[in-house]
Amino acid sequence: MKAPGLNIKELAQQVAERLEELALVSDEPGWLVRTFLSPASARANALVGGWMREAGLTVREDDFGNLTGTRQGPPGARKLVIGSHLDTVVDAGKFDGPAGVLLGIAAAAACPDLPFTLEVVGFSDEEGVRFQSTYLGSRAYVGKISPEELALRDAAGISVGELTAARRAAGFPEAGADLENLMGYLEIHIEQGPVLEEAGLALGVVPGIAGQTRILAGFTGQAGHAGTTPMPLRRDALAAAARLVLEAESQAQLHPPLLATVGKMEVLPGAGNVIPGQVVFTLDVRSPDNTAREAALEHLEQFGAAEAAARRLAWHWQVKQSNPAVPCDAGLSARLTEAVAAGQPVVPRIFSGAGHDAAVLAGVGPAAMLFVRCRAGLSHHPDEYASPEDLAAALEAVVRFVLSLAASPYV
Ligand code: HGY
Ligand code: MN
Ligand code: MN
């Protein structure tokens, strides 16, 4: 079956323009940030929901803020879900997440007559900025939210459970997709790395997604006068944290492809002439190898405890979320590879160090991921960029993939 005479190039150009428009929807002036159930996320859902309607999709927003656009197939039909996330990191780029959602909408517009149900999803919380626990949106979508996740509280002390209960009271339907006839899930995402650009190629297919653990850690010592407290008598929380940061870095350097990052640190009381009495920081540890990741975490927890004992500090270590490495579905990925290869004979397989909602959907059905080249591999940065030509190449491959499933369903 050939796609109806819709101009892929024009649809991709429309995606590029819409990404620019969506990037203006932010919780803070001066940079792009949209967090879980924030006012900007509500405005983004309204804007993207309108584009879903223009593509002929029925739009729904649930109590977790997930936005779905659905074209129902015949009764009992299989379901293909194409999705990614609409939330962002702080000072984000325009493409991480939204590119996959808007390309999904464009694919729906390009394939109006399918023998199966097509659902495009904008997940509400892949980045985990507000509650430091990622995938809240997609985990609610697949019906796997835990009591611990509902109990998570943000900086203002509001819990996930309170927020979503208030939304249900306001009339938003409970999250939970009908996945009984799920044929598969496709996520289109910028690579967020340099491999495709190095290879001079637009698209790659993802065999798997790295495991990741996010820790909230800290040391508590004693604040004091910087000018009158002798060094041996100090209980300096920041000096201990500095040792931990460098130990995390050396663990990753010693055991590649392990990755370890301390991305956020709060130093209290935070005055230049006061010895830091308390430090709280995040630790993000990832690897395709679950054993290596767990061994590094065990080592770093013990290292922190020893550092705390040596400096007469208290040591805090809280696992905020932990997800094992996840393989993508080989069969569905092979179908996707065929679709890409029709336009790009060499199709790189690129393991994802970044987390994606596909890691959650892979737990309930076949999941495949398409990577799109991004300039200098840069992401989680305002200069993040994918060209309209590469967006068009992605859309063309996805339309071929969708039509191949229409011609012969994936079982
Ligand atoms: O951090 C990640 O891997 C993703 O961008 N949430
Ligand atoms: Mn991201
Ligand atoms: Mn992402």
Side-chain angles (χ1 to χ4, degrees):
M1 269 160 104
K2 188 157 170 4
L6 278 155
N7 186 323
I8 294 284
K9 207 157 168 291
E10 284 167 349
L11 280 168
Q13 183 55 39
Q14 183 183 60
V15 167
E17 289 159 9
R18 287 175 167 178
L19 284 168
E20 293 293 335
E21 184 178 352
L22 182 55
L24 300 174
V25 182
S26 176
D27 281 313
E28 294 171 17
W31 61 15
L32 173 55
V33 53
R34 279 197 306 268
T35 58
F36 181 55
L37 298 182
S38 71
S41 289
R43 297 200 306 274
N45 278 357
L47 183 61
V48 176
W51 294 333
M52 287 179 167
R53 284 189 195 90
E54 277 178 38
L57 303 175
T58 304
V59 178
R60 178 180 187 265
E61 181 176 340
D62 65 31
D63 57 344
F64 270 74
N66 294 311
L67 183 71
T68 57
T70 308
R71 184 189 299 132
Q72 200 59 44
R78 311 292 302 282
K79 176 184 257 186
L80 175 66
V81 178
I82 301 178
S84 195
H85 57 95
L86 290 173
D87 68 307
T88 75
V89 290
V90 179
D91 197 11
K94 304 181 180 77
F95 296 80
D96 172 7
V101 181
L102 299 192
L103 283 167
I105 295 171
C111 304
D113 302 315
L114 295 170
F116 49 74
T117 297
L118 180 63
E119 185 154 280
V120 180
V121 191
F123 293 112
S124 59
D125 184 62
E126 189 278 335
E127 299 291 1
V129 170
R130 180 170 181 177
F131 289 92
Q132 287 109 46
S133 177
T134 189
Y135 305 149
L136 290 179
S138 47
R139 290 175 57 79
Y141 178 81
V142 300
K144 288 191 174 174
I145 280 285
S146 66
E148 293 75 21
E149 285 168 314
L150 288 173
L152 289 171
R153 292 192 179 278
D154 65 6
I158 303 169
S159 75
V160 172
E162 288 157 355
L163 273 174
T164 51
R167 284 174 58 87
R168 285 192 297 278
F172 287 99
E174 194 163 352
D178 171 6
L179 299 174
E180 198 188 334
N181 290 327
L182 179 65
M183 175 164 56
Y185 171 77
L186 171 66
E187 183 154 0
I188 313 155
H189 203 289
I190 52 169
E191 179 200 339
Q192 300 177 300
V195 173
L196 287 171
E197 188 172 66
E198 294 281 308
L201 295 167
L203 306 176
V205 172
V206 179
I209 299 165
Q212 61 171 283
T213 299
R214 295 192 187 183
I215 302 289
L216 190 63
F219 292 97
T220 304
Q222 174 72 52
H225 197 300
T228 59
T229 312
M231 296 309 282
L233 299 184
R234 294 184 177 205
R235 293 169 59 209
D236 185 332
L238 182 54
R243 295 253 304 147
L244 194 289
V245 171
L246 293 175
E247 183 65 15
E249 182 187 52
S250 70
Q251 277 294 301
Q253 288 165 338
L254 283 172
H255 306 291
L258 185 86
L259 298 171
T261 312
V262 175
K264 185 177 178 182
M265 183 176 280
E266 196 178 7
V267 180
L268 298 172
N273 59 351
V274 180
I275 302 163
Q278 186 182 10
V279 171
V280 179
F281 56 91
T282 61
L283 173 65
D284 176 314
V285 177
R286 309 187 187 207
S287 174
D289 174 345
N290 292 323
T291 310
R293 174 170 51 88
E294 281 149 15
L297 287 161
E298 190 179 340
H299 170 81
L300 291 169
E301 184 176 11
Q302 289 167 358
F303 183 92
E307 199 60 34
R311 296 168 180 267
R312 294 174 295 119
L313 308 175
W315 169 231
H316 317 283
W317 176 274
Q318 182 190 3
V319 178
K320 295 295 279 188
Q321 61 107 15
S322 198
N323 295 286
V326 175
C328 288
D329 181 86
L332 197 64
S333 300
R335 279 292 193 91
L336 179 60
T337 303
E338 276 166 33
V340 174
Q344 178 186 295
V346 176
V347 184
R349 285 160 53 84
I350 306 169
F351 195 90
S352 177
H356 299 287
D357 290 302
V360 174
L361 274 287
V364 295
M369 276 201 80
L370 177 67
F371 268 173
V372 185
R373 172 170 46 189
C374 61
R375 187 174 55 201
L378 191 61
S379 182
H380 285 191
H381 187 283
D383 292 345
E384 191 180 270
Y385 177 77
S387 69
E389 294 73 22
D390 286 353
L391 296 175
L395 182 57
E396 194 153 8
V398 168
V399 167
R400 274 197 293 266
F401 172 73
V402 170
L403 293 177
S404 99
L405 293 175
S408 69
Y410 182 63
V411 285

